[in-house]
Amino acid sequence: MSEEIKNIPQEENLSELLQIRRDKLKGLQEEGRDPFQITKFARTAFSAEIKGDYEAFEGKTVSVAGRIMSKRGMGKAIFCHIKDDRGQIQLYIKKDSVSETEFADFRKYDIGDIVGITGFVFKTKTEEISVHAERVTLLSKSLRPLPEKFHGMTNTELKYRQRYVDLIMSDASRRNFDIRSKFIRFLRSYLDNRGYMEVETPVLNTIAGGAAARPFITHHNTLDIDMYMRIATELPLKRLIVGGIERVYEIGRIFRNEGMDTKHNPEFTTVELYEAYADFHDMMDIAEGVISGAAKEILGSYQVEWMGETVDLTPGWRRLSMVDAVKEYVGIDFGAISDDAEAVAAAKAIGVELADAAEKTWGNALYACFDQRVEEKLIQPTFITMYPVEVSPLTKRSPADPRLTERFELFICHSELANAYSELNDPIDQRYRFEKQVEQRERGDDETEMLDEDFLLALEYGMPPTGGMGMGIDRCVMLLTGCDSIRDVLLFPTMKPLTE
């Protein structure tokens, strides 16, 4: 690793420390007291319960368990703090309150060891709520030292590779994942209460579809075919709408063979939801309700700090068409332009170039101006609506302007958090859009849709007008936790393997 791990003992000292701990374990094993043979400890209380309701626990016998995080001896007494799933609590081990062997053993225990303590609850002279030990059991021997407690894991890369150590040392990291769990729980409850059914769809598919992205490809040995790890859950869920499940959602892992940065990981989590007889306006209401509601319930406030900005999630978010956004932030009125060449020239005049594989059309020019000049300026929650047909192959055209589609993306701090449509349910138009995407792929863009004949077959049976949305769970959690990197909200982010 490029960074020196300054807060962990260096190799020459580490090997000696490791050996000392192994020698302690060996001594216990030779005495027939191997901690790793213990299979269970009957815990009766957690640290937070005791500290949160001291009056109910005072003087009562409890059994607590956790990892030793600090330890200090004072002659015939030892104080230490253990950490469990819900916090920390102090232990008081007095020589004449436990057996001679237990006291002698406890003196030898190391920071990081996991112990079980039975004793009564009391307060010390400094008013700290503690457990006065009457029985001590070593439940697991830590054979490797923890990072120095005041600095934790100062090596950022190491904390992602060794998340288990990061969670031991950092309450902030633990908080991030508590918030993640609570957000997903809130999301499920929100959708379930609106009559949605949660489902599961295949991760492996014979066609990569439902989004514009490069897939991971694997091989099925029995069928002797290549298969694609899903890049979206969209097409299977819309098949279920055809089948009569009128409100459906899936929270699932998505895989895209793309770059890694502070906002992207090759595997990530989304929720996709579809509702028959609804449109993209209904999806805006749901997106706003989920995120603002989660902030209020989990954080107790609509105000959050993210990306160095104070974000106001109070309901009533701005809704702005892409044409109006480009006009407001860039000064080009695409609503007054009808010619493709004129639109491309207007974009070029402000330094916006279209991708080589993109057709030189009004819609592509509009999107390029937004993507390259406007998106970065969107800080407060903003729904950008009415996307060009060229970049929305699965979206219903706008009756007011067939060059545009009834689609929105939600931006907060110039980050996309949700993408939604009034879903295209015309199988003839859908086939035409797929074929245009195939043509674009043949021109060299391998991140476009593939033609899905079975999905077209499903549409021919009839799909009702439908609103659909995909929301990035990881980015929503980044927002709620104030984390600037997606790796801080993924327990095990993808990392490049270490080399010798």
Side-chain angles (χ1 to χ4, degrees):
M1 283 175 280
S2 58
E3 280 186 64
E4 182 184 13
I5 307 173
K6 296 180 180 179
N7 58 317
I8 291 181
Q10 296 306 299
E11 199 59 41
E12 61 270 17
N13 298 321
L14 182 58
S15 58
E16 181 180 349
L17 292 171
L18 295 179
Q19 189 58 52
I20 290 172
R21 293 191 178 214
R22 279 161 174 74
D23 288 343
K24 290 180 181 180
L25 174 62
K26 184 179 179 182
L28 290 169
Q29 292 171 332
E30 289 174 347
E31 294 171 7
R33 298 189 291 132
D34 185 352
F36 296 125
Q37 291 187 353
I38 298 174
T39 59
K40 182 176 180 178
F41 180 80
R43 175 165 51 190
T44 62
F46 287 88
S47 58
E49 295 172 338
I50 298 170
K51 295 166 78 172
D53 192 7
Y54 174 71
E55 289 73 17
F57 282 96
E58 182 181 10
K60 293 185 178 179
T61 298
V62 296
S63 291
V64 295
R67 187 183 300 274
I68 298 175
M69 300 302 294
S70 68
K71 180 168 168 263
R72 68 187 190 277
M74 297 177 62
K76 296 181 180 181
I78 302 170
F79 288 91
C80 79
H81 284 86
I82 62 168
K83 185 175 187 177
D84 63 20
D85 186 52
R86 303 176 192 179
Q88 292 195 39
I89 193 166
Q90 180 171 266
L91 306 180
Y92 175 60
I93 299 89
K94 192 177 180 182
K95 187 174 182 178
D96 58 6
S97 296
V98 296
S99 72
E100 185 176 337
T101 299
E102 286 176 316
F103 190 78
D105 284 346
F106 202 89
R107 283 192 176 279
K108 300 175 186 177
Y109 292 166
D110 294 302
I111 304 299
D113 288 352
I114 297 173
V115 296
I117 302 288
T118 298
F120 62 88
V121 177
F122 78 113
K123 281 186 180 180
T124 65
K125 292 179 181 179
T126 60
E127 293 294 301
E128 182 168 357
I129 297 171
S130 308
V131 176
H132 190 297
E134 296 175 316
R135 189 165 63 253
V136 181
T137 306
L138 179 64
L139 302 174
S140 181
K141 181 65 186 170
S142 173
L143 299 180
R144 185 170 291 268
L146 294 174
E148 193 271 324
K149 74 170 187 176
F150 291 107
H151 298 96
M153 295 189 76
T154 57
N155 184 299
T156 302
E157 180 177 319
L158 186 62
K159 80 173 186 176
Y160 299 142
R161 293 185 184 278
Q162 296 183 1
R163 180 66 79 188
Y164 38 90
V165 181
D166 176 45
L167 291 171
I168 293 170
M169 301 305 299
S170 173
D171 290 338
S173 286
R174 174 57 188 259
R175 173 183 176 273
N176 291 343
F177 296 106
D178 282 342
I179 289 175
R180 183 187 181 100
S181 178
K182 290 175 180 176
F183 175 72
I184 293 173
R185 192 182 311 138
F186 179 89
L187 171 64
R188 278 197 167 99
S189 175
Y190 187 96
L191 294 176
D192 291 346
N193 288 336
R194 294 176 69 97
Y196 278 76
M197 177 190 293
E198 182 175 9
V199 299
E200 295 174 308
T201 62
V203 171
L204 293 175
N205 297 281
T206 55
I207 292 175
R214 184 182 296 114
F216 285 98
I217 303 174
T218 187
H219 188 78
H220 192 293
N221 292 334
T222 301
L223 297 177
D224 193 24
I225 59 172
D226 285 342
M227 300 192 76
Y228 301 90
M229 297 183 74
R230 66 185 181 193
I231 58 175
T233 53
E234 177 173 356
L235 301 187
L237 293 176
K238 289 203 281 193
R239 287 175 170 91
L240 298 180
I241 292 288
V242 171
I245 303 178
E246 294 183 356
R247 298 187 181 197
V248 63
Y249 75 97
E250 179 172 10
I251 298 173
R253 210 69 165 166
I254 302 299
F255 307 86
R256 296 185 181 180
N257 197 354
E258 299 170 342
M260 298 188 297
D261 56 34
T262 58
K263 294 181 183 178
H264 298 87
N265 193 69
E267 54 177 312
F268 56 98
T269 306
T270 68
V271 58
E272 287 203 43
L273 56 109
Y274 295 87
E275 180 176 338
Y277 311 108
D279 66 4
F280 77 136
H281 293 288
D282 298 294
M283 296 299 107
M284 279 187 259
D285 294 339
I286 291 175
E288 183 175 308
V290 165
I291 297 175
S292 66
K296 191 66 173 177
E297 178 166 308
I298 298 169
L299 306 178
S301 173
Y302 290 125
Q303 312 300 314
V304 298
E305 299 292 327
W306 192 35
M307 302 286 188
E309 304 284 351
T310 298
V311 179
D312 184 1
L313 298 177
T314 303
W317 297 353
R318 194 177 192 202
R319 304 182 180 192
L320 190 65
S321 74
M322 185 174 289
V323 168
D324 288 341
V326 170
K327 182 179 180 181
E328 178 177 328
Y329 288 96
V330 179
I332 301 176
D333 184 4
F334 275 84
I337 299 174
S338 58
D339 180 71
D340 288 340
E342 184 182 351
V344 172
K348 190 172 182 178
I350 61 169
V352 172
E353 296 287 347
L354 276 63
D356 292 339
E359 289 187 83
K360 304 305 184 282
T361 63
W362 178 91
N364 280 329
L366 169 63
Y367 179 75
C369 287
F370 170 79
D371 184 53
Q372 298 178 37
R373 292 291 184 271
V374 178
E375 181 178 324
E376 63 186 14
K377 300 175 183 178
L378 301 175
I379 303 300
Q380 298 303 322
T382 306
F383 292 106
I384 297 296
T385 68
M386 311 306 291
Y387 275 58
V389 170
E390 290 91 331
V391 296
S392 309
L394 297 164
T395 315
K396 183 169 288 190
R397 294 177 189 266
S398 166
D401 187 340
R403 297 174 300 177
L404 300 173
T405 61
E406 292 196 341
R407 171 188 176 186
F408 77 74
E409 287 185 313
L410 168 62
F411 291 93
I412 302 177
C413 285
H414 45 77
S415 298
E416 177 202 335
L417 275 74
N419 187 12
Y421 314 131
S422 294
E423 299 296 336
L424 178 60
N425 61 346
D426 179 346
I428 298 172
D429 191 6
Q430 180 65 83
R431 177 175 293 278
Y432 170 78
R433 307 262 200 104
F434 272 149
E435 289 173 349
K436 295 291 287 185
Q437 291 283 301
V438 170
E439 291 175 10
Q440 190 168 327
R441 177 177 288 272
E442 290 172 351
R443 291 196 299 270
D445 186 350
D446 60 354
E447 295 190 8
T448 51
E449 289 283 349
M450 295 182 182
L451 196 152
D452 188 333
E453 289 289 354
D454 183 75
F455 178 66
L456 292 172
L457 177 64
L459 288 186
E460 289 182 2
Y461 280 95
M463 185 174 87
T466 298
M469 177 172 62
M471 181 184 293
I473 299 293
D474 309 305
R475 290 194 188 171
C476 289
V477 177
M478 288 172 65
L479 169 68
L480 296 176
T481 58
C483 291
D484 292 347
S485 172
I486 192 173
R487 291 183 175 185
D488 288 322
V489 298
L490 297 176
L491 281 168
F492 302 105
T494 303
M495 302 292 290
K496 183 178 179 180
L498 294 173
T499 56
E500 295 294 334

